[in-house]
Amino acid sequence: KATVSVLNCMGCECSTPAPHSNASRVQPRPSVQTKKSVDEMAGDDDVDEFGFYVEEHYLDSAKEAERCEKWQKMLSDWDSAKKSMHKKIKERVRKGIPAVLRGRVWGLLTGGDELMRENPGKYQEWIGKRHLVPPENVSVIQRDLHRTLPNHSLFREQEAGGQAVMERILCAYAAYDPGVGYVQGMGYICSMFLVVKMSEELAFWTMVAVFNRPPWHMHDLYLPGFPALRRNQFILKGLTQKFLPKLSAHLQAEEVDFSHTASQWFLTLYTYQFPQHPYLLLRILDIFYSEGWKVMFRVALTLFSLDQDTLLEKNMEQIYMHLKNLQNSKDPKDIMGTMLSFPLQTKHIEKLGDEYDALLRSGGNPQYM
């Protein structure tokens, strides 16, 4: 299903998976209490507030407490707040969801919490259908577990418990959505639900929500042929031409194809790129689960714009080397500030998306990069 180029760009050592073959039953691992594992390790001097092994801590405890109080008031009557405080919720999400409430809020923003309440006991049933998952899928899932967020306390060691929980969720989702099954990159999406201390069941239903509901529709991102990924690549090319015309012209002149880089960004929602900057990553995901895909394009344009002068001086080979580390040596707060001020509007994305769809309908072959 996944092309070798897309898989290799995430450091995969295996060949392309064949997710739709027949499967035999594989016994799931024992249940593990994930929240206890994260909280116990949070006391480690080398672990930040989010459970990552990092050198810098960014949370302002006073501001965090103030925001937490405001969010608690909204959450006490969420249905009412969602209807009457839409702009205020958007504003508060952009300032950052309090760490202690993030998992709960993501579940509410995406509808994962609603799906869980509407389907009591169903997650356990999907766990029990693991035998429907092709063995090739199970094998790739298991191989990917230790590669996903190795700098997080929950996933760094098998004994921490996160790998076993993630395996159950991913196998359950592969059974739930056989059209997608499992594609590399999905583990990063799942892992962040556990990082924010969702329960295992809520993490599963939140994954169902963001894969199958607007404005995310991540199901289409991982389908055979990667239709939504290709569409996003086309849109990003057009946005680069519009907002960074000099850089766009230089990349075309040097015949640079940054589709591999963009594939990493979109398939993992930047989780692969920013494991050393959890503050930034979680803020990006806060906005994504509140507003949808626009923030992902904002981040891409921000990374390009911050290094535009450097890239303009490089040739093709040098550009490719630089793109591999485009996110490095940047202050997360600078990225966040530039991203939020970038003059990108929904209409810009929709126009390019419509162009792409029209080209496909006419039998054309849209050029991504």
Side-chain angles (χ1 to χ4, degrees), residues 35 65 89 108 132 286 311 351:
K35 183 171 182 177
I89 291 172
L108 291 168
L132 300 177
D286 284 346
L311 289 168
K351 179 182 179 182

Side-chain angles (χ1 to χ4, degrees), residues 225-295:
F226 302 97
L229 175 61
R230 295 178 183 278
R231 190 174 190 268
N232 283 352
Q233 290 172 339
F234 179 88
I235 292 171
L236 180 57
K237 177 187 177 182
L239 294 176
T240 305
Q241 290 174 336
K242 178 177 179 60
F243 291 104
L244 302 167
K246 289 184 179 180
L247 178 60
S248 176
H250 181 63
L251 293 177
Q252 290 186 41
E254 293 294 329
E255 299 183 345
V256 170
D257 176 356
F258 58 79
S259 60
H260 289 180
T261 302
S263 294
Q264 283 186 347
W265 294 345
F266 293 130
L267 288 173
T268 71
L269 303 182
Y270 295 96
T271 303
Y272 182 77
Q273 273 64 43
F274 294 122
Q276 301 300 327
H277 297 304
Y279 163 85
L280 171 63
L281 174 60
L282 289 163
R283 293 283 303 278
I284 291 170
L285 293 176
D286 284 346
I287 299 171
F288 178 70
Y289 292 129
S290 171
E291 302 178 31
W293 281 99
K294 182 164 68 173
V295 68

Side-chain angles (χ1 to χ4, degrees), residues 94-149:
R94 288 192 170 197
K95 289 181 178 179
I97 300 170
V100 296
L101 299 176
R102 184 170 269 119
R104 181 182 175 191
V105 173
W106 283 9
L108 291 168
L109 289 172
T110 61
D113 178 80
E114 178 186 19
L115 285 174
M116 183 177 69
R117 287 185 282 106
E118 291 176 350
N119 295 278
K122 291 292 184 181
Y123 172 56
Q124 292 298 323
E125 292 182 18
W126 287 112
I127 290 178
K129 295 180 180 180
R130 179 174 172 140
H131 61 284
L132 300 177
V133 182
E136 294 86 353
N137 266 14
V138 175
S139 178
V140 176
I141 288 171
Q142 292 173 336
R143 284 202 300 267
D144 285 350
L145 294 174
H146 75 278
R147 300 180 182 129
T148 306
L149 296 188

